Amino acid sequence: MATLNVPPVPPSPRDDAIALYTAFKGFGCDTGVVINILAHRDATQRAYIQHEFRTMYSTDLLKRLSSELSGKLETAVLLWMHDPAGRDALILRQCLTAENLEATTEVLCSRTSSQLQYLRQVYYTKFGVYLEHEIERYASGDHKKMLLAYLTIPRSEGPEVNREIAEMDAKALYKAGEKRLGTDEKTFVQIFSERSAAHLTAVDHYYNSMYGHSLKKAVKKETSGNFALSLLTILQFSANPAKYFAKMLRKAMKGLGTDDTRLIRVIVTRAEIDLQHIKAEYLKKYKKTLNDAVHSETSGHYRAFLLLLLGSNQ
């Protein structure tokens, strides 16, 4: 469930474009007005506002936002302005060119099969290169094989599970990992890339009941580095997406300093999907509301914008 709060009768995109232009005019930008408009508009409305702004003022709204805003607020608002697939494409482009394979893995392995198929098309349209070729270039070894397989192989997204096959998969993974000396990574790649989220959760259940511990524990024992990260991300996202993202947000905020890139990425990409569920999981796991956590880690208009996307404090 989304946290985005859109007015019951929102102003027309034309009125929003005029209000934004007025906020930009004069000495300094009325940032409060800008974030109050944009944080309360959905992806379609934001696209219409951009179109109106270009038509009326012969200038690109994203470029204007970039010149009027700065720092973490600029990063968050500019990312928010895109539609979900375009945003993911942009995030991946930035992660890959910076050779940030951890973030690349987190994004790719926490998207559904249909989202990934569409993302591949959008990536090529935007950047003129295939996402698969980018992964070939920047990733390596079993990690590269896992990402390519997960990106390109279509998977069912329904709740149906063939219990017999799930049990066979659990046995195959045990045989490929803990039962032998060394690890047969090919079997892990095959099962993790071809099976649905519901199926993988059932495999984990069978693994636990047959071998006395979770598949997650086996993955940690048998694999390492970014390959392990890809398997663990798929496993955790399959079992409970909201819980997975709650953990990512906690990771972004715990310890000394804040990983603002991750914080922005998760809040902005999930606000129109399931941020309400993520907030509930966060409260359940960490005994603190996500709003309070974000409030204590951020400041100024940047804090205000993220809190608007998070919605009411509960």
Side-chain angles (χ1 to χ4, degrees), residues 17-242:
I18 292 167
L20 287 168
Y21 186 75
T22 307
F24 296 146
K25 269 198 320 187
F27 182 71
C29 167
D30 191 340
T31 309
V33 169
V34 174
I35 64 175
N36 260 300
I37 293 171
L38 298 177
H40 291 121
R41 302 293 183 270
D42 65 27
T44 306
Q45 291 164 336
R46 297 193 302 273
Y48 280 135
I49 293 167
Q50 287 182 68
H51 175 74
E52 283 294 338
F53 198 91
R54 192 180 295 110
T55 304
M56 293 169 75
Y57 306 112
S58 302
T59 184
D60 182 67
L61 178 56
L62 296 187
K63 282 182 183 165
R64 193 63 196 265
L65 285 166
S66 186
S67 69
E68 298 289 346
L69 308 175
S70 62
K72 292 172 278 198
L73 175 66
E74 179 193 351
T75 305
V77 171
L78 288 178
L79 203 55
W80 175 245
M81 291 305 293
H82 295 273
D83 65 285
R87 187 190 297 128
D88 276 350
L90 187 65
I91 291 169
L92 285 168
R93 179 74 167 179
Q94 289 168 349
C95 290
L96 285 162
T97 49
E99 297 192 36
N100 183 346
L101 293 173
E102 184 183 349
T104 301
T105 304
E106 281 176 16
V107 174
L108 281 177
C109 298
S110 63
R111 299 297 183 263
T112 64
S113 182
S114 53
Q115 284 172 334
L116 290 173
Q117 300 318 310
Y118 185 47
L119 171 59
R120 288 166 70 197
Q121 294 171 31
V122 172
Y123 196 94
Y124 183 77
T125 306
K126 254 186 181 316
F127 305 115
V129 287
Y130 291 105
L131 182 51
E132 298 93 300
H133 293 174
E134 298 277 78
I135 291 166
E136 282 273 4
R137 183 180 169 191
Y138 292 107
S140 61
D142 295 312
H143 178 234
K144 176 169 79 175
K145 288 173 191 168
M146 186 67 247
L147 291 186
L148 288 172
Y150 200 71
L151 178 65
T152 56
I153 295 170
R155 286 172 297 283
S156 161
E157 290 175 36
E160 310 81 19
V161 173
N162 183 319
R163 306 254 161 226
E164 226 172 278
I165 296 173
E167 192 174 349
M168 279 164 58
D169 283 347
K171 286 175 182 172
L173 288 168
Y174 180 71
K175 198 176 168 186
E178 293 185 284
K179 195 181 178 184
R180 56 177 281 164
L181 195 64
T183 308
D184 171 16
E185 289 86 359
K186 194 179 171 186
T187 301
F188 278 84
V189 170
Q190 189 182 352
I191 291 171
F192 275 70
S193 63
E194 292 179 6
R195 306 301 191 227
S196 71
H199 184 96
L200 275 181
T201 304
V203 172
D204 186 32
H205 166 78
Y206 280 113
Y207 200 98
N208 213 332
S209 62
M210 286 191 288
Y211 307 114
H213 57 262
S214 67
L215 184 52
K216 180 180 167 183
K217 192 174 177 181
V219 167
K220 282 182 175 177
K221 184 181 161 190
E222 292 297 318
T223 62
S224 62
N226 284 322
F227 180 48
L229 178 66
S230 61
L231 298 176
L232 292 169
T233 304
I234 292 164
L235 207 49
Q236 291 172 87
F237 179 75
S238 297
N240 186 337

